């Protein structure tokens, strides 16, 4: 798909997420990373720094984030959606007691961001496919760690209500560790799939 079209769709999706948003005040904070990623994507497309496949991975991750941001992650109504589509609640089926959408996005960050990271390492650092795939796992984990540190700073800077609305720990003291573990799992699976691909040639 044309990356310019993907950028336009994603920008529109971001704006649409504000319409009748249930948590409008918190949504502005949730979309701060969205704005940074959209600007970065625009420059990446302008200078042709990544392949269309890698850009699609980045935008797919953004779509998941934008959807989560609308409901500040903790309240994404996937149970209502599943009941409407397949007739039962996903949470009841799996015995979940918390909203798991944020876990899905952390897993997806590993799955979707490994390819762009590996491509950058191969194209601009001269790494071979296997080395690029392996080091891309570390890149994804480093990005995840920086984000968890940012959440920690928000937790100690903002009011408890604002911090909880942004971080979405839902009372789980091990939330950062679980998020990082899922990102690692997703990144490891994705790296295994692309380890033989010479992305520098795409």
């Amino acid at each position: 798909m044309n990356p310019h079209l993907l950028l336009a769709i994603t920008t529109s999706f971001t704006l649409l997420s504000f319409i009748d948003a249930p948590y409008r005040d918190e949504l502005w904070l949730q979309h701060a990373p969205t704005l940074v990623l959209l600007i970065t994507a625009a420059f990446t497309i302008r200078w042709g720094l990544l392949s269309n496949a890698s850009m699609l991975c980045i935008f797919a991750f953004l779509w998941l984030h934008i959807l989560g941001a609308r409901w500040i992650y903790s309240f994404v109504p996937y149970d209502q959606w599943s009941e409407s589509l397949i007739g039962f609640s996903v949470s009841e089926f799996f015995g979940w007691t918390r909203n798991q959408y944020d876990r899905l996005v952390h897993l997806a960050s590993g799955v979707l961001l490994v390819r762009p990271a590996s491509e950058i390492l191969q194209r601009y650092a001269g790494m071979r496919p296997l080395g690029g795939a392996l080091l891309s796992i570390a890149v994804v984990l480093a990005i995840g760690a920086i984000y968890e540190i940012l959440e920690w700073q928000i937790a100690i800077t903002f009011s408890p209500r604002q911090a909880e609305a942004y971080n979405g720990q839902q009372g789980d003291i091990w939330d950062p560790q679980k998020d990082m573990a899922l990102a690692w799992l997703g990144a490891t699976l994705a790296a295994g799939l692309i380890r033989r691909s010479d992305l520098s040639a795409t």
Side-chain angles (χ1 to χ4, degrees):
M1 185 178 288
N2 186 301
H4 293 91
L5 178 58
L6 290 173
L7 179 61
I9 291 172
T10 307
T11 302
S12 300
F13 191 22
T14 303
L15 296 174
L16 288 171
S17 71
F18 283 92
I19 298 177
D20 294 327
Y23 308 97
R24 183 178 292 272
D25 293 340
E26 291 81 3
L27 185 55
W28 290 102
L29 184 59
Q30 289 283 349
H31 273 323
T34 311
L35 180 60
V36 172
L37 287 172
L38 284 173
I39 293 171
T40 303
F43 279 103
T44 302
I45 293 168
R46 172 67 179 82
W47 297 106
L49 300 179
L50 288 173
S51 67
N52 289 354
S54 286
M55 292 307 302
L56 179 59
C57 288
I58 291 171
F59 282 118
F61 174 72
L62 259 174
W63 297 336
L64 290 171
H65 166 68
I66 293 166
L67 183 63
R70 178 179 167 80
W71 283 278
I72 57 172
Y73 280 87
S74 298
F75 304 103
V76 175
Y78 58 77
D79 281 320
Q80 292 91 314
W81 298 339
S82 69
E83 287 176 354
S84 297
L85 292 172
I86 55 180
F88 63 86
S89 164
V90 172
S91 292
E92 289 182 4
F93 182 79
F94 288 104
W96 293 338
T97 57
R98 76 186 300 278
N99 191 295
Q100 301 286 353
Y101 188 81
D102 63 320
R103 302 277 195 245
L104 169 66
V105 176
H106 280 283
L107 178 66
S109 72
V111 173
L112 294 171
L113 299 183
V114 157
R115 182 185 173 96
S118 183
E119 183 175 331
I120 290 170
L121 290 168
Q122 290 184 53
R123 279 192 176 191
Y124 306 110
M127 297 196 69
R128 297 174 67 85
L130 178 59
L134 291 174
L135 191 56
S136 66
I137 299 173
V139 171
V140 169
L141 288 176
I143 293 171
I146 291 170
Y147 193 79
E148 294 297 338
I149 291 171
L150 174 63
E151 288 189 339
W152 165 48
Q153 291 302 307
I154 287 174
I156 63 177
T157 303
F158 288 75
S159 69
R161 183 188 66 80
Q162 290 174 308
E164 174 58 29
Y166 185 82
N167 292 342
Q169 289 184 242
Q170 301 177 64
D172 186 355
I173 63 171
W174 301 108
D175 185 72
Q177 290 84 350
K178 292 175 182 177
D179 290 346
M180 289 294 294
L182 284 168
W184 169 80
L185 175 61
T188 301
L189 292 172
L193 292 175
I194 69 168
R195 70 187 186 279
R196 296 186 184 277
S197 301
D198 186 3
L199 300 181
S200 62
T202 59

